[in-house]
Amino acid sequence: MGDMQPQLAIFRSSLELILSGDPAGLFNAANDLQQISKSEAIEILYLLAIEHREEEALLNYGYFLCERGRPDEGIVYFEKAYASGDPKAAFALGQEQLEMGNPLEAIKWLRIAGEHPYVPLRLAIAYRAVGDEMSAVEVLRAGSEQSAEAAVELIQTTDQLDTDSSIRLLEKHLENGDVDVLLPLADLYSKVGRHADGIELLRRSVAAGEPHALHNLGVALWEDGQTSEGKATLKKAAQKGDRLAVEKLHQIRRNKP
């Protein structure tokens, strides 16, 4: 944090009293918290946790810094977490390097992260950022059985699987509780004429709070001949600010006999 502001130093002293077993620190900390922001208090707490070698404090402080627009500092603490043996640190480094626009560094760390379930998609994105489509597809194929998001990316951005194989793969993930596959699986059902199954998945997607699920459900109902419910569903989506639903309603009005 650099040179600590007086109020923050006072809060830290109060916390140190608490750690020493002096209950006066509780009273002092209550007063101190009225003088500093929540973010400042959290940062002091993380730094004290790091000093006391609390497990995962380095990693979580790194995430805290990144979320507050201080990624360079966050990277430093991710590296410290990795050096301390935290198994989650390599993924954190890879993900943050990718977000910072450093795909080669991202590839290095994501490969080290290994079997982390969110690695395949991000590693594929990094490979594509450096123009290595072959490696991206290989990573997605290898990870598609364990990672739902990798399976969806493989299906939507490559021609590696035919429609039936794609359906079977996403059905497997759905059976394992991965609701992220609801919308793409519903789309595949629609393509093979399984409209009722697709509509059922879209209803589940709406219940799960998926973005654009209301729009997709409204369109599916309309195209299935359930026009009243379809239009009503599109109106609900439009009221929630879904521009696609607004456009679909305009199209319906234009085509009305």
Side-chain angles (χ1 to χ4, degrees):
M1 293 183 67
D3 294 333
M4 192 174 296
Q5 298 176 20
Q7 296 94 333
L8 302 183
I10 292 170
F11 176 57
R12 180 188 173 96
S13 297
S14 298
L15 294 175
E16 289 171 341
L17 277 178
I18 295 170
L19 290 171
S20 71
D22 187 341
L26 295 168
F27 174 78
N28 293 345
N31 291 324
D32 300 339
L33 285 169
Q34 299 177 54
Q35 307 299 320
I36 63 176
S37 70
K38 177 181 177 181
S39 180
E40 289 171 330
I42 291 171
E43 187 158 8
I44 292 294
L45 288 164
Y46 271 133
L47 290 170
L48 276 174
I50 289 168
E51 287 183 19
H52 286 266
R53 302 184 183 279
E54 183 64 27
E55 187 177 355
E56 296 191 3
L58 287 165
L59 182 73
N60 282 275
Y61 184 47
Y63 278 123
F64 171 85
L65 292 168
C66 291
E67 289 167 1
R68 278 150 186 80
R70 297 157 63 185
D72 291 334
E73 295 175 72
I75 288 288
V76 170
Y77 281 90
F78 289 151
E79 289 173 343
K80 289 180 179 181
Y82 179 74
S84 74
D86 192 320
K88 301 176 184 177
F91 173 73
L93 279 161
Q95 177 173 252
E96 193 58 35
Q97 291 288 2
L98 184 60
E99 292 181 3
M100 292 172 68
N102 303 320
L104 288 174
E105 279 294 301
I107 290 168
K108 180 184 80 172
W109 287 110
L110 290 169
R111 288 177 60 128
I112 292 172
E115 298 299 317
H116 192 291
Y118 295 143
V119 163
L121 176 59
R122 286 149 188 82
L123 185 52
I125 292 170
Y127 276 129
R128 283 172 169 164
V130 298
D132 190 350
E133 179 65 17
M134 184 178 296
S135 293
V137 173
E138 182 181 339
V139 165
L140 291 172
R141 282 193 67 95
S144 63
E145 293 289 336
Q146 287 74 40
S147 168
E149 62 179 16
V152 171
E153 183 75 5
L154 179 70
I155 290 166
Q156 293 184 337
T157 66
T158 78
D159 58 1
Q160 294 292 303
L161 300 178
D162 60 29
T163 302
D164 288 340
S165 298
S166 297
I167 288 173
R168 287 194 296 272
L169 178 59
L170 295 190
E171 285 178 337
K172 178 180 177 181
H173 284 292
L174 186 59
E175 289 170 3
N176 292 332
D178 291 308
V179 296
D180 290 343
V181 306
L182 285 169
L183 286 179
L185 183 54
D187 183 56
L188 290 172
Y189 281 162
S190 177
K191 288 179 179 178
V192 298
R194 294 173 58 180
H195 300 297
D197 291 334
I199 288 171
E200 179 188 349
L201 290 188
L202 289 171
R203 293 190 192 280
R204 289 175 61 181
S205 188
V206 169
E210 284 289 313
H212 302 304
L214 270 174
H215 161 262
N216 289 15
L217 176 59
V219 171
L221 289 166
W222 180 270
E223 294 179 349
D224 193 50
Q226 303 178 55
T227 55
S228 295
E229 185 181 359
K231 190 172 182 179
T233 302
L234 286 168
K235 286 182 178 179
K236 288 180 183 178
Q239 290 167 358
K240 291 179 178 291
D242 192 314
R243 293 184 178 181
L244 293 175
V246 173
E247 292 173 6
K248 182 63 178 178
L249 287 168
H250 285 322
Q251 179 187 343
I252 289 171
R253 293 190 189 98
R254 285 196 302 269
N255 295 336
K256 187 175 181 179

